[in-house]
């Protein structure tokens, strides 16, 4: 058991000899526990240097070794659901030293990625996709007369999603040769919620595994377990039996999230991911005590909804397994009867909110932008068509930095603004966030407020004020051009407007647009510039362009936002620079357009 992250690279001679799974297969079974110990030591060192997903990888160290020891990867298919736990897999598949670049610009991706390695059978970042993908691979191999083995490793948290059970149901119908490994550690990111988690926890008291066997065998899977996922003496024979058996196989293993690192075992939620160790220089050691930590946008949302619930008994908070991330812990403690963590079940979360709204409650669905994508039909069919009164608090909107393309909330404006009666709001700072949350809450119908990951500019927050729908605010008068800002890039917009002597408007609303203000702006601004932390295709700038075209205005329009390509993992600042959305890039793009305007 380790109690501190190593600050120097540990001595790992056996691990250093493993440059591919083929090297691993040359070891004896007695060497595998030694390899596991060295892999954990290197993992702790590497993630301490880079930051990243932490507890899940420690929990599957033995399983990862055992799978690559018995499978013929990369010919056999190994799929890690979500991918938080894939760091040991990367270490064993030729990317050991490259792990020191993970989540950094031009470094390893934070999740499995087919472009990165032939050993990454499928790209995962969102949960509960592994069984469907693995089944597709197994059926495709069968159709081609191939005999590759196919394994999906899924956690008990990811098993709460309906998609996982849809795949299990279909697998039973096809009789495909498929192994599903349930990695049961009683966790997703937070503690698991719901009947399945209770069912599995109850089963662990049954040494014969009869309880879970009845569930999965009812789906025509051959069930084995639960077994200790940290014991090679149990793992290897169980895996070997399952891999050599035909038809759908289900292996239930129990593991400890954060295994081998004391603090992570004690606090698996806090150690789901960590930031890198920052060296303490002599100068830093003598710095005065730092100021109180600045709150982030999620913290502001959490405070707002608690204050709201104190005065409105109809307030409901719903989240799909993002209690900590959305900062709903205080709400869950103070208003437990009005708090619903529905586990990883975005579709259910939205339709649950619809049912509550129909019965005169006021649900607020706290969900990451990238995960709202998973409940799109429910948003349209169950909420919008019926014009139900629900507020969507879209955290992690826009570029999110090191988690990369799978987690970027870059598409919500595009997929929301095409929905009739949907109100879409883009706060530029902390006070605007609470103002627009309040506005959306009081609006009678579906509304969404999108806000970014992390901290804002530091504007003090006072009592929220309801804003008339579609009302923008003019911040600066200039000449020739006007920047229409949508969202958190306001500081960059202010810098550009000052340097180029442009007008500046914080639009606040994508839908409805402040059309009356645009009608005024076109009279004395030959160039309109839209700025958004969102894809240009179908975004807020496109909405402005559609309005200009409908009114037959001839003003020049420059749309600045995320270009039509995937933005890879890097820091958020690096991503903004890559997209030309830092101050320098914005100024350069506007200056270039101004230079070619008709005189």
């Amino acid at each position: 058991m380790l109690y501190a992250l190593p600050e120097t690279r540990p001595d790992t001679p056996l691990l250093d000899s493993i440059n591919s799974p083929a090297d691993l297969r040359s070891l004896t079974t007695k060497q595998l526990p030694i390899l596991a110990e060295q892999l954990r030591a290197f993992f702790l060192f590497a993630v301490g240097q880079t930051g990243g997903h932490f507890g899940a990888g420690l929990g599957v160290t033995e399983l990862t070794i055992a799978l690559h020891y018995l499978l013929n990867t990369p010919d056999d298919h190994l799929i890690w659901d979500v991918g938080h736990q894939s760091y040991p897999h990367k270490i064993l598949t030729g990317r050991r030293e490259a792990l020191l670049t993970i989540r950094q610009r031009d470094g390893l991706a934070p999740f499995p990625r087919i472009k990165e390695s032939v050993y990454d059978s499928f790209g995962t970042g969102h949960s509960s996709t592994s069984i469907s993908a693995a089944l597709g691979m197994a059926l495709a191999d069968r159709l081609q007369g191939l005999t590759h083995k196919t394994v999906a490793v899924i956690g008990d948290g990811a098993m709460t999603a309906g998609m996982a059970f849809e795949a299990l149901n279909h697998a039973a119908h096809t009789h495909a040769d498929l192994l599903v490994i349930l990695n049961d550690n009683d966790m997703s990111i937070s503690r698991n919620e719901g009947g399945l988690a209770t069912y599995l926890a109850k089963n662990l008291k049954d040494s014969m595994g009869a309880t879970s066997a009845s569930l999965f065998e009812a789906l025509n899977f051959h069930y084995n377990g639960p077994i200790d996922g940290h014991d090679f003496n149990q793992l290897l024979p169980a895996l070997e039996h399952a891999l050599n058996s035909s038809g759908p196989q289900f292996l239930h293993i129990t593991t400890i999230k954060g295994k081998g690192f004391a603090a992570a075992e004690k606090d698996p939620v806090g150690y789901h991911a960590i930031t890198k160790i920052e060296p303490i220089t002599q100068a830093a050691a003598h710095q005065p005590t730092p100021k109180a930590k600045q709150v982030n946008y999620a913290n502001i949302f959490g405070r707002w909804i608690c204050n709201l619930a104190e005065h409105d008994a109809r307030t409901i908070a719903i989240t799909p397994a993002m209690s900590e991330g959305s900062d709903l812990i205080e709400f869950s403690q103070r208003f437990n009867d009005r708090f619903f963590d529905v586990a990883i079940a975005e579709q259910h979360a939205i339709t649950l909110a619809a049912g509550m709204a129909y019965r005169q409650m006021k649900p607020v669905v706290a969900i990451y932008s990238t995960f709202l994508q998973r409940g799109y039909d429910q948003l349209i069919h169950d909420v919008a068509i019926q014009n139900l009164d629900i507020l969507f608090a879209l955290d992690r909107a826009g570029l999110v930095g090191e988690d990369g393309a799978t987690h970027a909330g870059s598409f919500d404006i595009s997929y929301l603004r095409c929905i009739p009666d949907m109100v879409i709001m883009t706060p530029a700072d902390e006070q605007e966030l609470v103002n627009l949350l309040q506005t959306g809450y009081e609006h009678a119908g579906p509304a969404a407020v999108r806000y970014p990951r992390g901290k804002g500019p530091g504007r003090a927050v006072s009592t929220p004020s309801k804003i008339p729908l579609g009302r923008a605010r003019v911040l600066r008068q200039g000449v020739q051009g006007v920047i229409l800002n949508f969202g958190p890039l306001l500081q960059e917009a202010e810098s550009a407007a000052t340097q180029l002597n442009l007008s500046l408007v914080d639009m606040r609303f994508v839908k409805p647009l402040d059309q009356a203000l645009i009608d005024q702006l076109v009279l004395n601004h030959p160039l309109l510039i839209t700025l958004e932390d969102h894809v240009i295709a179908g975004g807020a700038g496109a909405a402005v362009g559609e309005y200009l075209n409908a009114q037959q205005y001839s003003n020049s329009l420059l749309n600045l936002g995320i270009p039509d390509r995937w933005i890879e993992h890097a820091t958020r600042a690096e991503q903004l620079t890559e997209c030309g959305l830092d101050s320098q890039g914005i100024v350069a793009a506007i200056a270039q357009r101004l230079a070619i305007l008709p005189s």
Side-chain angles (χ1 to χ4, degrees):
M1 180 72 69
L2 293 174
Y3 295 88
L5 294 175
E7 297 188 23
T8 58
R9 196 190 192 287
D11 186 28
T12 56
L14 185 57
L15 177 65
D16 295 347
S17 71
I18 307 299
N19 295 309
S20 73
D23 297 330
L24 169 61
R25 294 173 202 129
S26 68
L27 301 181
T28 66
T29 56
K30 291 183 179 180
Q31 291 176 291
L32 299 185
I34 300 171
L35 178 63
E37 182 179 354
Q38 293 184 12
L39 195 156
R40 273 200 178 86
F42 177 79
F43 175 97
L44 290 168
F45 165 72
V47 180
Q49 299 300 303
T50 64
H53 301 113
F54 193 77
L58 291 171
V60 297
T61 298
E62 288 83 6
L63 176 63
T64 308
I65 293 170
L67 283 168
H68 281 294
Y69 191 68
L70 295 174
L71 290 170
N72 184 31
T73 52
D75 293 336
D76 291 336
H77 314 302
L78 176 56
I79 304 172
W80 300 95
D81 204 286
V82 185
H84 293 145
Q85 74 276 48
S86 65
Y87 291 18
H89 161 79
K90 292 185 183 239
I91 292 171
L92 293 174
T93 53
R95 290 169 279 180
R96 180 182 61 249
E97 302 307 321
L99 196 72
L100 292 165
T101 70
I102 201 163
R103 295 164 54 90
Q104 300 169 32
R105 185 178 180 87
D106 300 323
L108 292 186
F111 304 100
R113 188 178 184 210
I114 58 175
K115 292 182 180 179
E116 184 176 286
S117 171
V118 295
Y119 293 97
D120 291 356
S121 298
F122 199 75
T124 51
H126 291 186
S127 83
S128 316
T129 62
S130 63
I131 305 176
S132 295
L135 178 59
M137 293 176 191
L139 293 175
D141 282 351
R142 186 169 73 184
L143 289 169
Q144 298 173 74
L146 302 173
T147 57
H148 303 312
K149 300 182 188 304
T150 306
V151 180
V153 181
I154 185 169
D156 51 321
M159 278 293 292
T160 62
M163 184 175 178
F165 279 90
E166 292 172 16
L168 288 173
N169 179 64
H170 186 220
H173 174 72
T174 65
H175 305 289
D177 292 338
L178 168 70
L179 171 58
V180 174
I181 300 174
L182 174 61
N183 175 33
D184 186 354
N185 61 17
D186 196 32
M187 296 290 299
S188 51
I189 294 177
S190 308
R191 289 285 176 188
N192 285 328
E193 300 288 343
L196 181 63
T198 303
Y199 186 90
L200 293 172
K202 180 181 179 182
N203 174 61
L204 294 182
K205 299 176 183 178
D206 178 358
S207 61
M208 300 302 293
T211 308
S212 277
S214 63
L215 170 64
F216 296 107
E217 289 185 352
L219 294 169
N220 289 330
F221 272 77
H222 181 272
Y223 174 90
N224 185 18
I227 66 170
D228 184 349
H230 301 298
D231 183 353
F232 284 111
N233 292 326
Q234 295 185 49
L235 263 181
L236 290 172
L239 283 171
E240 192 164 23
H241 174 76
L243 291 170
N244 291 322
S245 300
S246 60
Q249 305 292 315
F250 196 98
L251 178 60
H252 183 176
I253 71 170
T254 60
T255 61
I256 298 171
K257 190 172 184 179
K259 174 71 173 177
F261 189 70
E265 289 191 22
K266 184 177 180 180
D267 180 16
V269 174
Y271 279 87
H272 170 71
I274 64 169
T275 57
K276 67 180 181 179
I277 300 172
E278 296 292 350
I280 301 176
T281 64
Q282 185 175 1
H286 293 86
Q287 291 294 318
T289 302
K291 296 179 180 178
K293 183 179 179 181
Q294 182 181 335
V295 297
N296 59 36
Y297 281 112
N299 301 147
I300 293 166
F301 164 76
R303 294 177 183 179
W304 169 81
I305 195 169
C306 284
N307 291 337
L308 188 70
E310 287 180 355
H311 303 99
D312 190 341
R314 300 173 302 157
T315 305
I316 300 287
I318 300 172
T319 184
M322 287 291 136
S323 302
E324 282 84 10
S326 296
D327 200 13
L328 285 172
I329 297 301
E330 182 182 349
F331 187 100
S332 71
Q333 295 167 345
R334 294 175 57 189
F335 310 100
N336 184 257
D337 60 332
R338 291 187 272 157
F339 172 74
F340 298 91
D341 182 339
V342 302
I344 303 175
E346 292 87 357
Q347 297 175 353
H348 168 62
I350 294 169
T351 305
L352 175 72
M356 291 179 169
Y358 179 75
R359 296 299 297 150
Q360 291 78 52
M361 301 303 283
K362 295 281 289 188
V364 178
V365 178
I367 187 169
Y368 291 6
S369 169
T370 187
F371 297 143
L372 182 59
Q373 297 162 186
R374 297 163 65 100
Y376 191 56
D377 180 66
Q378 288 70 28
L379 177 64
I380 294 173
H381 181 271
D382 299 334
V383 175
I385 288 177
Q386 304 183 99
N387 199 37
L388 292 173
D389 193 3
I390 298 171
L391 174 62
F392 294 90
L394 304 187
D395 197 351
R396 270 67 165 180
L399 295 169
V400 295
E402 291 84 353
D403 279 346
T406 59
H407 283 59
S410 303
F411 309 107
D412 51 73
I413 291 176
S414 297
Y415 68 68
L416 289 176
R417 76 178 188 87
C418 61
I419 302 174
D421 297 324
M422 193 79 196
V423 172
I424 309 169
M425 294 165 277
T426 58
D429 57 40
E430 295 89 342
Q431 182 62 47
E432 285 297 296
L433 173 61
V434 296
N435 289 345
L436 293 175
L437 286 168
Q438 192 69 32
T439 301
Y441 185 82
E442 295 186 28
H443 170 68
V449 180
R450 68 184 309 264
Y451 49 96
R453 181 182 192 176
K455 302 172 184 176
R459 184 179 174 190
V461 178
S462 58
T463 303
S465 300
K466 180 182 177 182
I467 298 169
L469 282 186
R471 181 71 58 82
R473 53 176 182 156
V474 178
L475 301 179
R476 189 182 192 280
Q477 296 287 352
V479 298
Q480 199 170 17
V482 55
I483 299 176
L484 307 180
N485 175 73
F486 293 89
L489 300 178
L490 183 60
Q491 285 186 309
E492 289 80 0
E494 288 174 330
S495 176
T498 301
Q499 292 182 55
L500 299 173
N501 193 18
L502 304 173
S503 296
L504 175 62
V505 176
D506 181 22
M507 293 298 290
R508 300 197 286 205
F509 293 84
V510 176
K511 188 176 184 179
L513 284 170
D514 193 336
Q515 296 177 351
L517 179 59
I518 293 175
D519 291 339
Q520 298 175 27
L521 294 171
V522 298
L523 298 176
N524 52 8
H525 294 92
L527 173 63
L528 278 68
I529 306 108
T530 63
L531 179 63
E532 58 192 303
D533 182 13
H534 184 274
V535 293
I536 295 172
V544 173
E546 290 164 11
Y547 179 71
L548 295 179
N549 182 64
Q551 301 303 310
Q552 300 184 11
Y553 290 132
S554 59
N555 302 64
S556 182
L557 176 65
L558 173 62
N559 296 141
L560 300 179
I562 300 171
D564 190 22
R565 65 174 185 270
W566 300 111
I567 307 303
E568 302 297 346
H569 52 280
T571 66
R572 176 172 160 82
E574 288 171 334
Q575 290 177 328
L576 290 174
T577 298
E578 178 185 342
C579 296
L581 297 177
D582 59 348
S583 296
Q584 184 177 354
I586 294 168
V587 168
I590 298 174
Q592 183 179 27
R593 178 62 65 88
L594 287 171
I596 61 173
L597 280 182
S599 57

